[in-house]
Amino acid sequence: MPHPELPALDTPNGRAGTAPETSRLQNRELDHRTANSLQLATNFLLFAQARVTDPVARGLLTEAATRISVVAQLHRFLSGHAPDAEVEFAQFLAQLSGFIAGSTGLDCTVEADPLTLSGEVVQQLGIAINELAMNAAKHAYAPGESRPLRIEAHVDRGHLRVAVADSGHGLQRALDGLSNGLGMSIVMAIVRQLQGAFGAADDHGAVITISIPLTTPARVSRSFAPA
């Protein structure tokens, strides 16, 4: 018999449940529908891309579709966590690297210290990492070359340092690629939002780093508007 303070309610599977249980099921269904809608938007962009002949327009539509698809994947991953729950960052990076490998053809490896972060910070870092990976896939390698990409996350003196490193044709080519597209604007907006720092080095390929203080607020702005 239901607790008198928690009246039984109909749940999506037709059985009675408590109000908190029903709320969780409804939120899970909403998350599922949101991710599906994002994937549908991706498909619309790809359909449009197939009908466009201008190569610049085709490239922009493809990149937009990839970005929305990444947001959908991030949403699916994070929807498995309670709204205020901390997320295991190494586990997240392992899943993200698999998606990046599938969407870009890069051979991704991950090396990460054990660490938990808020879902919102994880989402922002995931978007930035994907932007850097897309840039490496587009600019770091010539056709036919092996395409490794290393993603690292290490904690040092109260900061998290995330590095995305390729073994391609050098830093200048990587920075030129970022600067000529939306990538740099998006990455730098995320760096600002997370109160972090951007770094770049040449070490047998481009190494792009984002360093953020571990005291970064759990809730951050989601705007990518220029500063």
Side-chain angles (χ1 to χ4, degrees), residues 11 32 105:
T11 62
H32 180 71

Side-chain angles (χ1 to χ4, degrees), residues 19-148:
E21 290 170 350
T22 301
S23 178
R24 283 194 294 270
L25 288 169
Q26 290 172 339
N27 287 339
R28 188 181 305 165
E29 178 64 18
L30 179 59
D31 284 330
H32 180 71
R33 292 181 180 181
T34 299
N36 285 346
S37 295
L38 288 168
Q39 194 59 55
L40 186 60
T42 298
N43 293 339
F44 286 153
L45 287 172
L46 292 175
F47 286 144
Q49 182 259 6
R51 299 171 63 91
V52 171
T53 58
D54 180 83
V56 175
R58 285 174 64 88
L60 291 173
L61 286 169
T62 300
E63 289 180 3
T66 301
R67 288 182 174 110
I68 294 174
S69 185
V70 168
V71 172
Q73 295 294 327
L74 295 178
H75 185 84
R76 289 185 192 277
F77 179 86
L78 295 174
S79 65
H81 297 75
D84 297 326
E86 296 277 290
V87 176
E88 291 286 346
F89 194 49
Q91 180 186 6
F92 167 79
L93 289 178
Q95 293 206 17
L96 178 64
S97 68
F99 175 77
I100 288 172
S103 63
T104 64
L106 294 168
D107 181 12
C108 295
T109 59
V110 173
E111 181 182 316
D113 293 342
L115 175 71
T116 58
L117 297 169
S118 77
E120 291 201 31
V121 171
V122 166
Q123 183 182 57
Q124 296 288 297
L125 288 173
I127 291 171
I129 291 167
N130 182 69
E131 288 297 325
L132 297 173
M134 286 173 58
N135 188 67
K138 191 173 181 180
H139 299 285
Y141 300 106
E145 290 183 325
S146 61
R147 297 160 62 84

Side-chain angles (χ1 to χ4, degrees), residues 44 121 187 202 209 213:
F44 286 153
V121 171
V187 170
D202 202 335
T209 60

